[in-house]
Amino acid sequence: MKKILFITSMVLTLTACNHQEKEYDATGTFEATETTVYAEQSGALITFNVHEGDVIDLGSEIGLIDTTQLWLKIKQLESTKTVYSSQKPDMEKQIAATRQQLLKAQQEQRRYKELVADGAAPSKMLDDATSQVQVLQKQLNAQISSLNTQVHTLNSQIATTSVQVSQLYDQLRKCHIIAQMKGTVLEKYVERGEFVTMGKPLLKMADTDNMFIRTYVTSAQLQQVKLGQQVTVFADYGNNQKKTYKGTVTWISNRSEFTPKTILTDDERADLVYAVKIAIKNDGFVKIGMYGEVKLQGE
């Protein structure tokens, strides 16, 4: 009788253990959106006041590349624009004399026309006056055309110089190293005073306020996961110390892949799994690479 009671007790214990709810459905590691800041101009780093671990705000200036030569080129081009502007002719003054001569010739033409009509002057005098008007008109047209060409050329040179100045101001702006995101400095590759070239990496930073855990689910679990779904995420500190966060599914892979060896899944016999990203709002305790667990809601 005691033997039967012992067996019954063991069966009930095993049954209770089998029905015990799991604490998590998938596991993974925490990641953050990382970006590398590159030098957009070449020159000596005049300032570079960042250190690994610093939190940098969006739009903060974290360094400055020497701008001396750019400023000198800008000043030179501004002077060149002034010279071009001073060379532009005053068209009205340039053609005033010819225009006055033409008006006088036209008056002579009208006077000889009346005299010839009255028979008081020979027609040759009218022909000469008409020829003089035509000559002066052509001279005036030629002057206007030449002056217009000169003005157009100078305007084109001024416009070209203005574009060059704008390009230099753009290069000048790029000498100011500005943080394009809010984040934490992970790695620093250069120091103040070094000469950097365009495209050289300066530092790496990550958005540690908005992190995510990359986990993997099996085909059986995939039907329980959808974009925007709210789940529970546990940050594992070891020794059964965990911290709970609210997570949101932001990405589900469209293709399967073989189970990564470092990832545990609900079904260890499954060869194919689907990657899932779950975003969390970090309170400063979650670190990149930390191990975590995910409990799917609504199971």
Side-chain angles (χ1 to χ4, degrees):
M1 184 64 179
K2 289 183 180 180
K3 184 176 181 180
I4 294 175
L5 290 175
F6 175 77
I7 293 175
T8 302
S9 176
M10 288 295 296
V11 170
L12 291 175
T13 301
L14 291 174
T15 302
C17 290
N18 290 333
H19 285 82
Q20 184 177 2
E21 185 179 2
K22 289 179 128 186
E23 293 183 358
Y24 60 88
D25 300 300
T27 63
T29 55
F30 288 98
E31 301 176 6
T33 301
E34 299 181 3
T35 183
T36 301
V37 178
Y38 296 89
E40 296 186 80
Q41 288 296 314
S42 298
L45 271 177
I46 302 301
T47 62
F48 195 59
N49 301 318
V50 295
H51 303 87
E52 294 180 356
D54 287 351
V55 177
I56 301 174
D57 291 327
L58 171 66
S60 299
E61 181 171 325
I62 56 180
L64 175 66
I65 298 173
D66 187 14
T67 62
T68 304
Q69 293 302 316
L70 290 175
W71 269 117
L72 292 175
K73 289 180 181 179
I74 289 174
K75 294 300 181 183
Q76 181 183 24
L77 289 174
E78 292 289 0
S79 298
T80 302
K81 284 177 60 178
T82 302
V83 171
Y84 287 147
S85 297
S86 66
Q87 292 176 349
K88 292 173 67 174
D90 188 334
M91 291 187 60
E92 289 302 320
K93 290 183 178 180
Q94 293 277 356
I95 65 176
T98 305
R99 192 186 295 278
Q100 186 63 33
Q101 292 175 0
L102 177 60
L103 289 174
K104 185 177 180 180
Q106 289 172 340
Q107 290 175 353
E108 290 292 319
Q109 181 188 33
R110 288 192 294 269
R111 187 169 67 86
Y112 282 121
K113 187 175 182 180
E114 292 175 356
L115 291 174
V116 169
D118 294 339
S123 60
K124 183 180 183 305
M125 298 184 71
L126 176 60
D127 293 340
D128 291 343
T130 302
S131 177
Q132 182 67 15
V133 169
Q134 292 174 348
V135 170
L136 290 172
Q137 184 65 60
K138 289 179 180 179
Q139 288 179 355
L140 180 62
N141 292 339
Q143 280 184 316
I144 292 174
S145 177
S146 177
L147 291 171
N148 280 332
T149 300
Q150 186 177 351
V151 170
H152 178 73
T153 300
L154 290 170
N155 284 337
S156 297
Q157 291 173 326
I158 292 173
T160 301
T161 306
S162 296
V163 171
Q164 293 173 342
V165 171
S166 297
Q167 290 174 336
L168 289 174
Y169 271 113
D170 181 64
Q171 294 176 23
L172 194 66
R173 177 186 59 81
K174 291 177 179 178
C175 286
H176 296 263
I177 304 168
I178 305 298
Q180 301 300 318
M181 63 178 287
K182 180 182 179 181
T184 302
V185 177
L186 302 180
E187 297 179 62
K188 181 181 176 182
Y189 305 124
V190 296
E191 296 293 340
R192 183 173 65 85
E194 290 188 35
F195 186 91
V196 297
T197 56
M198 187 182 302
K200 180 180 179 63
L202 304 178
L203 60 90
K204 179 187 288 186
M205 57 190 302
D207 181 6
T208 53
D209 287 341
N210 302 286
M211 297 185 64
F212 58 89
I213 182 172
R214 181 189 293 269
T215 187
Y216 295 84
V217 298
T218 63
S219 299
Q221 293 174 309
L222 187 62
Q223 62 183 345
Q224 303 170 2
V225 183
K226 63 180 180 179
L227 291 176
Q229 178 179 344
Q230 299 297 308
V231 300
T232 302
V233 177
F234 304 99
D236 194 339
Y237 296 91
N239 296 325
N240 293 322
Q241 297 183 9
K242 298 181 181 181
K243 193 171 178 64
T244 305
Y245 297 89
K246 292 182 180 179
T248 304
V249 177
T250 58
W251 176 77
I252 303 173
S253 176
N254 290 323
R255 63 176 62 185
S256 60
E257 53 188 287
F258 287 102
T259 307
K261 295 182 182 298
T262 58
I263 301 298
L264 300 176
T265 64
D266 185 50
D267 185 359
E268 294 181 356
R269 296 172 299 176
D271 292 328
L272 296 177
V273 292
Y274 295 84
V276 176
K277 281 186 180 181
I278 300 170
I280 67 164
K281 189 68 176 177
N282 189 12
D283 56 1
F285 291 97
V286 178
K287 306 300 180 184
I288 298 174
M290 182 180 289
Y291 179 79
E293 302 166 349
V294 177
K295 179 66 177 177
L296 301 175
Q297 301 283 336
E299 293 190 332

